[in-house]
């Protein structure tokens, strides 16, 4: 027997918001049937219009807030909610920090790990304008080339000039590049018909150096007036690097494999915790440098380094954590699968005169097994994995090497909790509170630092 949902599309209902999802959407229930509503806060009563009905849940849009939460802040831009750039912008910042701490607590509770404490979230003084990297799509809107962001769940471009969470200098550079492309009548990418030239504009800026890199991501290798365009972009204040990246494929992956240097340098420079870094077009470099310093400082403190330890840094990227740890450890080994990142890491080690660091290219699981077979005995293993968390073989190899401490820098609380469970089953326990760090204010994402010791 088919069960009929208690709500209908395009109908309006009065509901009470009782919870927030991990994506930051409010949750209401009618006859135990969940409705997910962006731009709503627990404790509020709202009039909701149902926009989509699925088998087990529905989505709705706030038509009117009838009873407002004391945590609601005014003045939010609808484009930030539509595109998912800043889905928590309607929530006061202290409540955002609380939400991130609660996210981790709830996941621990579900896994029967409620005995593990979660400290308060480390926040920012100014939780806007923090991103040092932008990757914005370029499309045709109302007959002309436009930059902005896609509406959630679609590829419809919403033109945006002020991105709110991005470095305002980057916002200005995007507009100047957009105007140069308009001037030379460059065709924006049309993904339905696989036509057009410019797919995306990527801009990176060193927070301390002020150096700016502009990457034009194009569908075709030949672009009319490319030399003039590159020269004009190079004239923009602060721009030291102009690169063309060619991506001819029909894909959602932003960048292709081929880069061409059009003007200036192939890299930009920045500093983090007193260390100098080069950043290339494909480098992974944390997008919030203010919070990254707090995150890495926490990792170093929690690792309890005295200068005598051997440290393994798994997923070492361009060496940011490795080089920070190298200042307080005897020897640091880093492993990273992206070849270009390892090349950058080696250059970074040389320019910081860090002679006690060694970087290798490889899959984390393969290299860990290799180090283990070679009889390596690290005192501390630092892991900073992607959202999918740790491969089980990485956990097994880590445990087999028996480090005193494992420092887990996580960008996904769900996989963190799963991996804590796996480590605990093999004799490691969390003996300090997990510390969430707000790397991405105005969004539901939360990073955290967890330390596990061999029991």
């Amino acid at each position: 027997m088919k069960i009929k949902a208690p709500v209908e599309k395009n109908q309006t209902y009065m509901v009470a918001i009782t919870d927030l999802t991990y994506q930051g959407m409010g949750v209401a229930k009618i006859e135990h049937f969940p409705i997910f509503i962006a731009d709503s806060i627990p404790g509020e009563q709202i009039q909701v219009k149902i926009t989509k009905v699925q088998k087990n849940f529905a989505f709705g849009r706030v038509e009117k807030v009838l009873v407002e939460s004391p945590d609601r802040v005014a003045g939010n831009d609808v484009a930030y909610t539509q595109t998912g750039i800043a889905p928590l912008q309607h929530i006061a910042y202290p409540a955002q920090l609380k939400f991130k701490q609660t996210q981790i607590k709830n996941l621990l509770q579900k896994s029967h790990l409620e005995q593990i404490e979660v400290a308060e979230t480390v926040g920012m003084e100014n939780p806007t304008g923090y991103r040092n990297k932008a990757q914005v799509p370029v499309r045709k809107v109302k007959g002309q080339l436009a930059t902005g962001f896609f509406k959630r769940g679609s590829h419809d471009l919403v033109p945006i000039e002020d991105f709110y969470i991005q470095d305002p200098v980057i916002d200005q550079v995007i507009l100047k590049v957009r105007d140069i492309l308009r001037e030379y009548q460059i065709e924006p990418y049309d993904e339905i018909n696989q036509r057009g030239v410019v797919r995306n504009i990527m801009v990176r800026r060193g927070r301390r150096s002020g150096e700016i890199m502009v990457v034009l991501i194009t569908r075709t290798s030949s672009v009319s007036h490319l030399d003039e365009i590159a020269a004009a972009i190079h004239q923009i204040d602060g721009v030291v690097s102009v690169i063309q990246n060619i991506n001819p494929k029909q894909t959602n992956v932003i960048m292709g494999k081929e880069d061409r240097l059009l003007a200036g340098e192939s890299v930009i420079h920045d500093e983090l915790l007193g260390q100098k870094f080069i950043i290339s077009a494909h480098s992974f470099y944390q997008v919030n440098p203010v919070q990254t310093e707090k995150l890495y400082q926490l990792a170093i403190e929690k690792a309890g380094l005295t200068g005598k330890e051997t440290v393994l840094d798994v997923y070492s990227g361009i060496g940011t954590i490795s080089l920070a740890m190298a200042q307080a450890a005897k020897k640091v080994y880093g492993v990273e699968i992206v070849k270009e990142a390892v090349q950058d890491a080696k250059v970074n080690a040389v320019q910081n005169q860090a002679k006690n660091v060694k970087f290798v290219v490889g899959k984390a699981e393969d290299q860990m097994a290799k180090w283990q077979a070679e009889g390596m005995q690290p005192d501390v293993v630092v892991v900073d994995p992607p959202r999918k968390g740790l491969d089980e073989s990485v956990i097994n190899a880590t445990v087999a090497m028996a480090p005193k401490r494992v420092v887990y820098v996580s960008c996904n609380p769900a996989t963190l909790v799963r991996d804590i469970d796996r480590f605990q089953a093999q004799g490691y326990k969390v003996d300090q509170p997990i510390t969430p760090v707000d790397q991405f204010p105005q969004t539901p994402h939360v990073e955290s630092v967890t330390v596990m010791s061999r029991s």
Side-chain angles (χ1 to χ4, degrees):
M1 188 179 99
K2 196 179 175 190
I3 298 167
K4 192 175 181 298
V7 295
E8 283 179 42
K9 190 178 174 180
N10 294 331
Q11 292 301 307
T12 327
Y13 302 87
M14 308 294 182
V15 295
I17 305 297
T18 55
D19 201 0
L20 272 182
T21 70
Y22 72 94
Q23 293 160 313
M25 299 181 101
V27 183
K29 287 186 179 174
I30 293 178
E31 295 173 29
H32 306 292
F33 186 83
I35 306 158
F36 302 122
I37 308 152
D39 198 19
S40 62
I41 307 174
E44 291 189 329
Q45 290 184 21
I46 64 164
Q47 191 175 311
V48 62
K49 185 173 187 176
I50 303 300
T51 54
K52 194 174 184 180
V53 181
Q54 305 277 59
K55 188 179 164 192
N56 299 318
F57 55 87
F59 290 99
R61 183 177 66 234
V62 176
E63 291 282 280
K64 196 176 179 187
V65 179
L66 306 168
V67 177
E68 195 170 281
S69 162
D71 291 327
R72 180 173 283 278
V73 288
N76 53 324
D77 185 320
V78 70
Y80 303 144
T81 305
Q82 275 181 338
T83 57
I85 286 173
L88 302 187
Q89 53 164 342
H90 60 294
I91 301 176
Y93 192 54
Q96 290 187 32
L97 297 177
K98 189 84 187 147
F99 161 63
K100 295 185 182 196
Q101 180 193 29
T102 305
Q103 239 192 87
I104 300 174
K105 279 183 173 176
N106 289 347
L107 286 162
L108 288 166
Q109 210 166 354
K110 276 184 190 162
S111 292
H112 310 293
L113 297 168
E114 57 280 329
Q115 76 282 1
I116 297 172
E117 285 180 58
V118 182
E120 287 184 2
T121 309
V122 177
M124 288 189 84
E125 209 172 313
N126 172 18
T128 65
Y130 57 84
R131 284 186 68 97
N132 60 13
K133 177 185 176 186
Q135 297 184 119
V136 300
V138 178
R139 296 293 183 271
K140 190 174 274 188
V141 178
K142 294 181 180 167
Q144 72 171 345
L145 181 145
T147 50
F149 224 72
F150 295 134
K151 210 178 257 188
R152 271 201 231 218
S154 81
H155 276 203
D156 301 333
L157 191 89
V158 178
I160 295 172
E161 297 198 348
D162 165 9
F163 284 79
Y164 185 54
I165 58 171
Q166 259 167 212
D167 179 337
V169 174
I170 289 180
D171 288 351
Q172 290 305 306
V173 171
I174 290 166
L175 295 182
K176 286 171 183 168
V177 174
R178 178 201 69 184
D179 292 347
I180 292 164
L181 295 173
R182 281 179 179 173
E183 188 190 329
Y184 285 96
Q185 299 181 336
I186 301 301
E187 276 297 305
Y189 180 53
D190 168 359
E191 64 186 313
I192 293 168
N193 300 304
Q194 279 300 292
R195 290 195 190 125
V197 177
V198 179
R199 301 170 69 122
N200 293 74
I201 297 166
M202 182 171 98
V203 181
R204 308 188 85 148
R205 181 172 186 254
R207 176 172 161 259
R208 289 223 161 82
S209 68
E211 293 180 358
I212 297 166
M213 170 186 285
V214 175
V215 182
L216 295 178
I217 298 152
T218 62
R219 182 184 70 85
T220 54
S221 56
S222 93
V223 179
S224 61
H225 303 289
L226 189 56
D227 290 347
E228 295 101 306
I229 289 166
I233 293 171
H234 200 205
Q235 291 298 307
I236 297 170
D237 204 25
V239 173
V240 299
S241 172
V242 185
I243 290 168
Q244 178 191 15
N245 172 267
I246 301 150
N247 184 0
K249 293 185 178 173
Q250 195 166 359
T251 172
N252 287 337
V253 176
I254 293 175
M255 294 182 81
K257 289 192 165 66
E258 190 188 344
D259 289 333
R260 290 180 186 169
L261 180 63
L262 303 179
E265 306 289 319
S266 61
V267 296
I268 59 170
H269 302 81
D270 203 20
E271 274 184 45
L272 208 59
L273 289 173
Q275 302 277 300
K276 295 181 174 72
F277 292 97
I278 60 161
I279 303 152
S280 57
H282 296 264
S283 292
F284 172 76
Y285 187 68
Q286 292 273 12
V287 298
N288 185 338
V290 175
Q291 293 298 90
T292 298
E293 291 198 329
K294 294 178 191 174
L295 184 76
Y296 291 174
Q297 199 60 57
L298 259 167
I300 293 164
E301 284 165 17
K302 286 176 176 277
L305 301 176
T306 63
K308 296 175 184 171
E309 292 80 10
T310 297
V311 177
L312 299 190
D313 178 10
V314 187
Y315 310 98
S316 53
I318 63 167
T320 41
I321 292 184
S322 301
L323 293 170
M325 293 260 175
Q327 297 176 88
K330 184 180 171 189
K331 183 83 184 173
V332 180
Y333 295 87
V335 57
E336 168 61 53
I337 194 164
V338 180
K339 190 172 84 221
E340 294 86 353
V342 174
Q343 285 164 357
D344 287 353
K346 287 176 177 175
V347 173
N348 291 331
V350 170
Q351 66 175 6
N352 288 293
Q353 295 165 354
K355 296 189 172 106
N356 58 339
V357 186
K358 186 181 178 188
F359 294 106
V360 293
V361 180
K363 278 175 100 173
E365 46 271 39
D366 298 346
Q367 188 59 41
M368 290 294 277
K370 195 175 168 191
W371 277 332
Q372 182 205 333
E374 288 167 2
M376 190 180 278
Q377 293 181 306
D379 302 285
V380 176
V381 172
V382 182
V383 292
D384 185 3
R387 289 191 64 76
K388 64 178 183 164
L390 292 174
D391 195 278
E392 205 154 355
S393 62
V394 173
I395 294 174
N396 295 340
T398 302
V399 170
M401 287 192 252
K404 294 188 194 79
R405 276 179 293 284
V406 176
V407 180
Y408 194 134
V409 179
S410 162
C411 62
N412 182 352
T415 52
L416 166 70
V417 170
R418 180 202 68 199
D419 292 345
I420 288 172
D421 217 2
R422 290 172 172 176
F423 270 110
Q424 292 211 149
Q426 298 201 52
Y428 279 78
K429 66 176 194 299
V430 179
D431 54 4
Q432 307 174 30
I434 294 171
T435 306
V437 178
D438 192 18
Q439 285 279 93
F440 305 100
Q442 318 304 331
T443 82
H445 298 297
V446 56
E447 301 250 337
S448 60
V449 181
T450 302
V451 178
M452 290 169 274
S453 300
R454 203 170 72 229
S455 50

